[in-house]
Amino acid sequence: MTDVQTKAAIGPLDVTRVMAALPHRYPMLLVDRVEKLVPDQSIVAIKAATINEGFFQGHFPGRPIMPGVLIVEALAQAAGVLAVESLGLAGTGKLVYFMSIDGVKFRKPVEPGVLLRLEVSFVQKRARVCKFAGRALIEGELAAECEFTAMIADPPAA
């Protein structure tokens, strides 16, 4: 394959394909769809924030807002799909673990009923450690941004 072919965008990917790349399941699966994935470069994914999600019931009663840590987790899961697809790890059982989170900024609350657009790109990619830059947007407006590092590893022994 030529370099141009390996970098061709793929998508959209439905939740079944997302679950093939990630070990997460309900209620912790926070990526509903991948709109576009360019291997070795970037991903655009969607999280549909619905009122039925448990965290909205208690965060906060009368003013439901998606917790910031879950926004960052959604970005990390999108990065996990990007890493697994880019490194050809689907079906290997490898996991993508957080190592660090830097420069997190929250700009706009994520409320029920929005489609949260997750944009993540590689900053640095190695065989075992990758660095990413991520942004979460609502209708084109920045809701959150951060950089984070993840390690690709075998799952813990049972």
Side-chain angles (χ1 to χ4, degrees):
M1 264 201 245
T2 70
D3 195 38
V4 172
Q5 289 173 318
T6 61
K7 302 235 191 246
I10 56 175
L13 308 177
D14 66 11
V15 72
T16 304
R17 180 81 179 264
V18 171
M19 290 191 304
L22 297 176
H24 304 78
R25 296 297 181 261
Y26 177 84
M28 280 307 299
L29 182 62
L30 299 174
V31 174
D32 295 314
R33 178 180 179 83
V34 172
E35 293 293 316
K36 180 180 175 184
L37 188 150
V38 180
D40 301 319
Q41 291 182 17
S42 63
I43 188 170
V44 175
I46 302 296
K47 165 61 181 150
T50 68
I51 192 64
N52 297 329
E53 300 186 72
F55 55 80
F56 281 132
Q57 305 313 307
H59 195 269
F60 301 100
R63 178 73 166 102
I65 297 171
M66 185 174 182
V69 295
L70 293 181
I71 298 168
V72 174
E73 174 65 21
L75 288 166
Q77 288 183 20
V81 174
L82 175 61
V84 165
E85 292 288 334
S86 295
L87 298 170
L89 300 174
T92 65
K94 297 280 188 188
L95 299 176
V96 181
Y97 292 109
F98 258 139
M99 289 177 67
S100 70
I101 306 166
D102 299 306
V104 180
K105 294 181 179 147
F106 300 102
R107 306 288 188 193
K108 181 177 180 157
V110 177
E111 299 170 318
V114 304
L115 293 178
L116 191 61
R117 181 182 170 97
L118 308 166
E119 298 178 351
V120 179
S121 59
F122 279 112
V123 172
Q124 185 177 56
K125 180 172 66 74
R126 296 200 173 125
R128 292 185 47 94
V129 177
C130 300
K131 187 170 184 177
F132 304 92
R135 303 178 340 140
L137 300 107
I138 303 167
E139 296 181 4
E141 290 187 42
L142 188 62
E145 61 187 329
C146 65
E147 286 195 352
F148 49 95
T149 304
M151 174 179 64
I152 293 136
D154 291 319

